[in-house]
Amino acid sequence: MTSYEFTGKSIKEAIAKACEELKVDEHLLEIEVLEESSKGFLGIVGHREAKIKVKKRDILKEVMEAESVPARTPRAKAAETAEVAQRRVEEIDQDDLESQVQEEPEQPSVDPTLFVDTAREVLKEILERMPVTAEIASDTVNGSVYLDIKADGSGLLIGKKGQTLDALQFIVNKIVNKANSPGNKVEIIVDTENYRERKKENLREIALKTSERAKKTHKPVPLEPMPASERRIIHMILAEDKDVYTKSYGEGQMRRLIVYPRKALTNKRRRR
């Protein structure tokens, strides 16, 4: 990959020059410091500028290497990347425990506007390599970066039960937040045709119906296996209902959520 050298009065200035000339955000560059700046004697004699060498990051290559997936053609690479990312999405279920849903740790505030351009550029490059012709609208919503893909055949980008869209979102989040500490990560939402909101409303309806059934029968009610992102939404919706609680069981793609009535648990304790 082509590398470029830039100089400046400081490392920061040299990086700014690189970003301006290459028309990319700092997050999308690999930066190697060749020389630190030196003021010299009295700021005049022996003055030396800072020098850096930069390369544009190959985003998809980074993801493939991180997951140990062999390099293929751009189309096959994009398809395999989506599959790998989806497997990782299935494995991640950080909100499965009731206590985690009800008592989420306080996170330092992060200004999402600082990451909008980078997130849009990352998603644009991924779509171009798939290849998909699309426009990406960007905004900040409730402290998150929101990317809306506008393209013909958006159904292909959504995939079965939103799996392709979830994979794209996972990849973009991973790349943009790669250098950020745990408390300073920004959430990036990737959407198309308002799929996220429509899906959330559908899950809300399922959650409420299941809750009513559990309370009426006084028995646990299992749901169909679903991705971690969908289980998390139901966890959070039902966390507001004081008459039920939720837990997840199973492994991988067979992991499912079960809604328990609290009244049944109370009655059982009384009988003891």
Side-chain angles (χ1 to χ4, degrees), residues 104-110 181-185:
E104 293 185 358
E106 223 177 279
Q107 297 289 348
S109 58
V110 178
S181 61
N184 290 290
K185 294 184 183 296

Side-chain angles (χ1 to χ4, degrees), residues 219-231:
K219 294 180 181 180
V221 180
L223 293 173
E224 292 295 318
M226 60 181 64
S229 58
E230 295 181 11
R231 293 197 302 273

Side-chain angles (χ1 to χ4, degrees), residues 11 32-37 48-52:
I11 298 295
E32 179 184 352
V33 178
L34 300 179
E35 291 182 10
E36 296 278 357
S37 61
R48 185 177 62 198
E49 290 194 323
K51 181 187 291 186
I52 62 172

Side-chain angles (χ1 to χ4, degrees), residues 107-219:
Q107 297 289 348
S109 58
V110 178
D111 185 358
T113 60
L114 299 176
F115 300 89
V116 172
D117 292 341
T118 301
R120 185 173 58 243
E121 187 66 27
V122 169
L123 179 58
K124 178 183 176 183
E125 185 168 342
I126 293 173
L127 293 177
E128 286 177 350
R129 295 195 183 197
M130 288 182 68
V132 172
T133 302
E135 293 183 3
I136 303 171
S138 59
D139 199 358
T140 56
V141 180
N142 298 326
S144 301
V145 175
Y146 182 84
L147 303 177
D148 185 26
I149 304 172
K150 301 181 185 299
D152 295 332
S154 294
L156 295 175
L157 290 174
I158 294 173
K160 184 179 179 182
K161 296 184 178 180
Q163 289 181 351
T164 303
L165 198 62
D166 285 344
L168 287 171
Q169 180 170 292
F170 175 83
I171 295 170
V172 174
N173 272 277
K174 180 173 181 179
I175 293 172
V176 174
N177 286 302
K178 181 178 180 181
N180 297 339
S181 61
N184 290 290
K185 294 184 183 296
V186 62
E187 181 185 28
I188 300 164
I189 301 169
V190 178
D191 199 3
T192 185
E193 295 184 349
N194 203 32
Y195 173 80
R196 299 289 184 196
E197 190 60 34
R198 290 188 285 112
K199 184 66 177 179
K200 188 173 181 178
E201 287 304 313
N202 182 48
L203 290 172
R204 177 179 293 278
E205 185 177 339
I206 292 174
L208 295 178
K209 285 183 177 179
T210 305
S211 172
E212 289 304 313
R213 183 180 170 190
K215 287 185 281 189
K216 185 177 180 179
T217 62
H218 303 293
K219 294 180 181 180

